[in-house]
Amino acid sequence: MNVPLLDLTDQNRSIEPELIDTFKRVLRSNQFILGPEVEAFEQTIADFSSVSYGIGVSSGSDALILALMSLGIGQGDEVICPAFTFFATAGAISRVGATPVFVDVCPVCFNIETNSIREAISNKTKAIIPVHLFGQMAEMDEVGKIAKKYNLAIIEDGAQSLGAKYRDNPTGSYGTFGTYSFFPSKNLGGFGDGGMVVTNDEELASKAKILRNHGAEPKYYHQYIGGNFRLDPLQAALLSVKTPKYKEYVQARKNNAQFYINNLLEVEGVEQAKPEHCGCFDQQTEESRHAKLILPVEYQHCDHIWNQFTLRVIGKNKREELREHLSKKGIGAEIYYPVTMDQQECFQGPNLSRVPSVPKVAHQLAKEVLSIPIYPDLTDEMKSYVVESITEFIYS
Ligand SMILES: *Cc1c(COP(=O)(O)O)cnc(C)c1O
């Protein structure tokens, strides 16, 4: 059997007639830059985030850059982000001329470890970018408290967590800004690149809109040096075909995650942390040090949207061996992410980044993590086959 890591064939086929009609509509509208298609989609994503403003942009990476630019963050400023994330989070900070400060993460939820944030703050710190990795939100109560105390902006990197919740509040509703990506592998995947910035702040929203369009307002009168960060109306319109089905897509991922958890927990050597809270380090129980495989967990106070189902494979080279085993069985698996930000070549050297203390957990995770197929259209047979194949590996 073949179980790819991600396959959108069925998802797209089921809406193909609507997508084609939408393409025709945009084609015949003759509006190919911004306009009503983009505005309608912006409103939908703002609503998903329980905030007032959405600004459609060219990618999730540009969304981060635009949020930082709108806050006036640049040369001489520091921005704190987790060492364990996709490169764009850190890259955006450098791209605006600021210095990324890398901190450690929680071994249970993979998200930014809040005590490390406190230790990383300096008089140059301007913002924190918590990343809601793999579809579960970071410990936003704590992040919020720290931001308030030190007067820092929060940019939620929600590229992997559109619609995820923390204590009933959605991604994007906590931060000064929230950012999204519609890269095809995200839960709301487009047909090419796309992104969004959301905020509740009217002034910042209007500044972001101006910066998205070369900083011009009115046209040809440039208040700021912005860029071309615009989302295409065609992309916005096509994505709008998927938004009414978004809950369904997420529910299917949740069902898949529950299936994996129920079945894999039956296997000896497979463990899962308790779902109470992001206790971070103290949640690593004595038993889990003897585990062969640790499952991801959805905290009780969170609503996880499962963009990835990420295992921790314990033991030297075991992760590579499991990946190889799955590959031989026709099952796709990927390492998100093999190299932490503080270890990236481009951040080595004075002033390129700051690392207040070695992010040990992040380094450990980079050696252990393996994400397995979780996309909505997986069949029961496929999921069973994945479970069987993993079980076979653990008993071998
Ligand atoms: C995908 C992703 C991004 C970047 O989004 P693009 O649309 O690919 O530019 C940023 N941060 C995280 C955490 C991501 O997963």
Side-chain angles (χ1 to χ4, degrees):
M1 197 185 295
N2 236 357
V3 189
L5 184 64
L6 175 69
D7 186 354
L8 297 167
T9 313
D10 289 344
Q11 181 173 102
N12 291 337
R13 191 165 292 154
S14 71
I15 52 172
E16 197 174 293
E18 280 176 85
L19 291 171
I20 291 170
D21 286 349
T22 301
F23 176 74
K24 280 188 192 157
R25 186 179 77 228
V26 176
L27 178 69
R28 291 170 187 176
S29 77
N30 276 314
Q31 171 126 25
F32 304 123
I33 300 291
L34 299 177
E37 299 283 2
V38 172
E39 284 160 24
F41 180 60
E42 287 173 339
Q43 193 54 56
T44 304
I45 301 302
D47 291 345
F48 277 18
S49 319
S50 297
V51 300
S52 303
Y53 308 98
I55 299 106
V57 296
S58 29
S59 69
S61 306
D62 285 345
L64 287 161
I65 292 175
L66 186 61
L68 289 160
M69 287 173 78
S70 304
L71 290 163
I73 291 171
Q75 199 93 48
D77 297 332
E78 288 186 349
V79 177
I80 296 170
C81 79
F84 188 67
T85 180
F86 177 60
F87 177 76
T89 317
I93 300 168
S94 296
R95 288 278 310 278
V96 300
T99 304
V101 178
F102 301 126
V103 302
D104 214 352
V105 295
C106 164
V108 178
C109 65
F110 311 107
N111 286 323
I112 197 160
E113 202 277 305
T114 50
N115 291 318
S116 307
I117 300 177
R118 287 180 211 279
E119 289 158 15
I121 289 170
S122 77
N123 56 11
K124 293 180 183 168
T125 311
K126 289 289 170 350
I128 308 167
I129 308 186
V131 181
H132 306 318
L133 207 65
F134 305 145
Q136 179 156 251
M137 286 177 70
E139 230 14 84
M140 292 311 290
D141 278 351
E142 273 306 304
V143 174
K145 271 185 219 159
I146 297 168
K148 197 165 174 200
K149 182 167 173 194
Y150 296 95
N151 193 25
L152 308 174
I154 299 172
I155 300 170
E156 292 177 65
D157 184 341
Q160 302 183 10
S161 69
L162 174 68
K165 287 184 178 145
Y166 176 90
R167 303 197 196 288
D168 291 328
N169 300 311
T171 292
S173 65
Y174 279 91
T176 322
F177 279 111
T179 65
Y180 298 116
S181 163
F182 308 114
F183 187 82
S185 69
K186 313 297 183 183
N187 280 23
L188 183 62
F191 306 86
D193 283 305
M196 182 83 62
V197 167
V198 296
T199 183
N200 244 334
D201 187 310
E202 192 181 350
E203 247 171 75
L204 284 173
S206 104
K207 188 170 177 192
K209 260 191 178 171
I210 295 169
L211 283 166
R212 170 180 69 175
N213 213 357
H214 288 298
E217 180 60 36
K219 218 174 175 180
Y220 306 122
Y221 291 79
H222 299 264
Q223 300 180 20
Y224 316 107
I225 301 167
N228 175 357
F229 300 122
R230 297 181 300 255
L231 176 67
D232 294 338
L234 180 60
Q235 196 59 253
L238 294 173
L239 279 161
S240 297
V241 175
K242 285 193 171 183
T243 48
K245 304 185 165 43
Y246 188 64
K247 274 214 167 87
E248 228 175 89
Y249 299 157
V250 170
Q251 189 55 49
R253 285 172 180 271
K254 288 178 192 232
N255 297 348
N256 294 345
Q258 204 51 56
F259 183 97
Y260 282 147
I261 290 167
N262 292 346
N263 288 283
L264 285 171
L265 271 181
E266 300 284 306
V267 181
E268 207 182 314
V270 177
E271 289 174 15
Q272 192 186 35
K274 292 180 180 64
E276 274 93 49
H277 67 109
C278 177
C280 296
F281 302 100
D282 53 279
Q283 271 227 13
Q284 270 194 311
T285 59
E286 196 56 42
E287 305 91 80
S288 61
R289 280 183 211 122
H290 302 295
K292 293 183 173 170
L293 198 72
I294 300 176
L295 302 180
V297 64
E298 175 182 70
Y299 289 139
Q300 280 162 353
H301 60 291
C302 288
D303 185 5
H304 197 321
I305 64 155
W306 298 104
N307 181 242
Q308 297 296 343
F309 190 90
T310 304
L311 307 167
R312 288 178 57 194
V313 192
I314 312 300
K316 200 167 191 296
N317 288 328
K318 288 293 175 195
R319 188 253 313 264
E320 277 63 32
E321 287 172 24
L322 175 57
R323 191 185 189 193
E324 185 62 31
H325 173 78
L326 294 177
S327 167
K328 280 190 187 137
K329 296 253 158 195
I331 298 168
E334 186 56 89
I335 300 165
Y336 302 118
Y337 300 94
V339 183
T340 60
M341 291 308 112
D342 59 294
Q343 293 172 320
Q344 296 290 349
E345 189 182 341
C346 66
F347 293 127
Q348 307 306 315
N351 310 320
L352 295 177
S353 67
R354 188 163 71 81
V355 186
S357 59
V358 180
K360 290 198 196 105
V361 176
H363 291 181
Q364 186 73 20
L365 291 175
K367 289 185 198 142
E368 292 176 350
V369 287
L370 189 67
S371 298
I372 59 173
I374 186 80
Y375 66 91
D377 293 299
L378 286 176
T379 63
D380 284 349
E381 291 71 34
M382 290 163 117
K383 284 179 274 181
S384 298
Y385 180 65
V386 172
V387 169
E388 276 163 34
S389 303
I390 293 173
T391 307
E392 198 179 278
F393 175 81
I394 290 171
Y395 286 145
S396 70

